[in-house]
Amino acid sequence: MQNKLTTREEYLRRINIVTEYINNHLDEKLDLSKLADLSNLSQFHFHRITKAFLGEPIGAYITRMRVETAARLLRYTDIPVQDVAFKVGYEMPSSLSKIFNQYYGISPIEFRNDKNFIIMKPALINPALNLKAPKILDLEDQSLIYIRHTGDYSSLDFAGAWTKLWGYVKSQKLFTAGIQHVCIYHDDPKVTEPDKLRTDICLVIHKQAKAEGEIGVKILQGGKFAVFHYQGAYANLGSVYDTIFGYWLPESGMQLRDVACYEKYLNHPDPEAPEKSKTEIYIPVQ
């Protein structure tokens, strides 16, 4: 059993390398043989293993990442459609239009112009949340250890992941003051099916670490962020995000940067008093 677990963790480590590379190079031609080399798997086994761990063929995964990224850029930025196509790896806007139509039944231009068009769930904009004006901060890069989970946010084992991460901190003697609990959300649940939502459950650390098994190591990209402070149940965070993107962002005059949002958790959640949970929401802006 221990050998099987170790093998699975090693495959997860390799899959993490591949998916991080894909996420950071969507604007380039992604050569599958190069991805296989990055994973240190033979090309024959590469396709079978990535499909087993990602739940879809690697080519389908890449296409989905491109289309879903395009949908977010079209909805939340003013980047011209032609430039959106280039940013997600299509040489011609017509190529993006064709695949976008296949996925969502609407063209990129129509999707941008029709703010009421719903790909999946409707937005739950709630101005009554009375979110305070965010702090605008310029942040440095930060080092993370993380575990990648895929699936509906409400079904993820956050506690189990953080227990593993803290165990790794202890075993590798990584403890310092100022370790923080963070989650990076790579997908928009308005665009991506729940079972394919990608979440990195992370600890911000201050010592050098190395990846091991399912525990990855990477940099949380810094830059300019609008930082919202929210106190309340995690179950309402979807509405908080919808209000930020549908109410605050259009009024702010700011544009989103092409970087994932993330959350920082400021206290331990109390199941008996979820309304006391405190969360900082980091929205990348320019």
Side-chain angles (χ1 to χ4, degrees):
M1 178 62 73
Q2 183 60 40
N3 286 339
K4 290 182 179 179
L5 181 61
T6 301
T7 301
R8 177 176 174 78
E9 289 180 343
E10 175 60 19
Y11 282 137
L12 281 169
R13 184 187 69 80
R14 297 182 187 189
I15 295 297
N16 283 341
I17 291 171
V18 172
T19 55
E20 283 299 314
Y21 184 87
I22 291 170
N23 295 344
N24 294 324
H25 296 83
L26 285 176
D27 60 335
E28 302 174 12
K29 183 177 181 179
L30 292 168
D31 182 81
L32 296 185
S33 61
K34 181 175 182 178
L35 296 179
D37 289 342
L38 285 172
S39 69
N40 199 27
L41 294 168
S42 74
Q43 293 187 40
F44 177 78
H45 296 300
F46 174 73
H47 292 279
R48 292 180 175 179
I49 291 171
T50 52
K51 182 177 181 181
F53 279 83
L54 296 175
E56 59 190 324
I58 188 69
Y61 175 84
I62 292 170
T63 299
R64 185 168 61 80
M65 290 301 100
R66 285 179 163 148
V67 176
E68 291 177 358
T69 300
R72 292 194 296 274
L73 293 173
L74 290 165
R75 180 54 52 94
Y76 301 126
T77 77
D78 292 329
I79 298 172
V81 173
Q82 176 174 306
D83 293 342
V84 170
F86 296 154
K87 285 179 75 68
V88 298
Y90 292 101
E91 295 181 357
M92 300 290 293
S94 59
S95 299
L96 172 61
S97 183
K98 180 179 179 180
I99 193 69
F100 200 91
N101 229 316
Q102 289 175 359
Y103 267 72
Y104 302 129
I106 190 173
S107 74
I109 293 175
E110 290 171 332
F111 178 66
R112 164 160 282 172
N113 293 336
D114 185 355
K115 300 301 183 184
N116 293 319
F117 184 85
I118 298 170
I119 286 178
M120 287 176 59
K121 301 176 184 175
L124 300 174
I125 297 173
N126 183 6
L129 282 170
N130 194 27
L131 289 172
K132 294 182 179 178
K135 296 179 182 177
I136 307 299
L137 302 178
D138 284 304
L139 303 177
E140 300 291 331
D141 291 352
Q142 300 178 82
S143 297
L144 301 175
I145 57 174
Y146 72 98
I147 295 175
R148 167 70 56 85
H149 279 250
T150 303
D152 194 324
Y153 298 143
S154 64
S155 70
L156 302 184
D157 184 8
F158 292 91
W162 271 311
T163 297
K164 291 179 181 178
L165 291 171
W166 274 108
Y168 189 70
V169 166
K170 181 178 180 180
S171 68
Q172 301 299 310
K173 297 181 172 57
L174 298 174
F175 182 78
T176 63
I179 291 178
Q180 300 168 346
H181 295 75
V182 166
C183 276
I184 303 171
Y185 298 97
H186 294 279
D187 303 299
D188 183 348
K190 300 294 181 297
V191 172
T192 304
E193 294 286 350
D195 64 334
K196 292 183 172 62
L197 294 169
R198 297 166 298 153
T199 302
D200 291 340
I201 300 172
C202 317
L203 291 177
V204 176
I205 59 171
H206 307 284
K207 289 184 177 181
Q208 188 172 353
K210 63 179 181 179
E212 183 176 292
E214 66 180 326
I215 297 177
V217 176
K218 65 178 178 180
I219 297 298
L220 178 61
Q221 187 175 330
K224 187 176 182 180
F225 287 85
V227 183
F228 291 84
H229 182 88
Y230 165 70
Q231 179 169 329
Y234 296 151
N236 296 328
L237 279 168
S239 181
V240 174
Y241 276 95
D242 288 345
T243 303
I244 291 171
F245 286 116
Y247 186 74
W248 175 80
L249 185 64
E251 300 295 326
S252 71
M254 293 186 174
Q255 295 288 320
L256 291 175
R257 290 188 292 125
D258 190 16
V259 178
C261 302
Y262 68 93
E263 296 172 5
K264 182 188 297 182
Y265 307 101
L266 305 182
N267 59 352
H268 193 280
D270 182 354
E272 302 300 320
E275 71 279 0
K276 294 183 179 180
S277 297
K278 296 180 180 180
T279 307
E280 284 183 344
I281 300 170
Y282 287 72
I283 308 296
V285 294
Q286 58 186 4

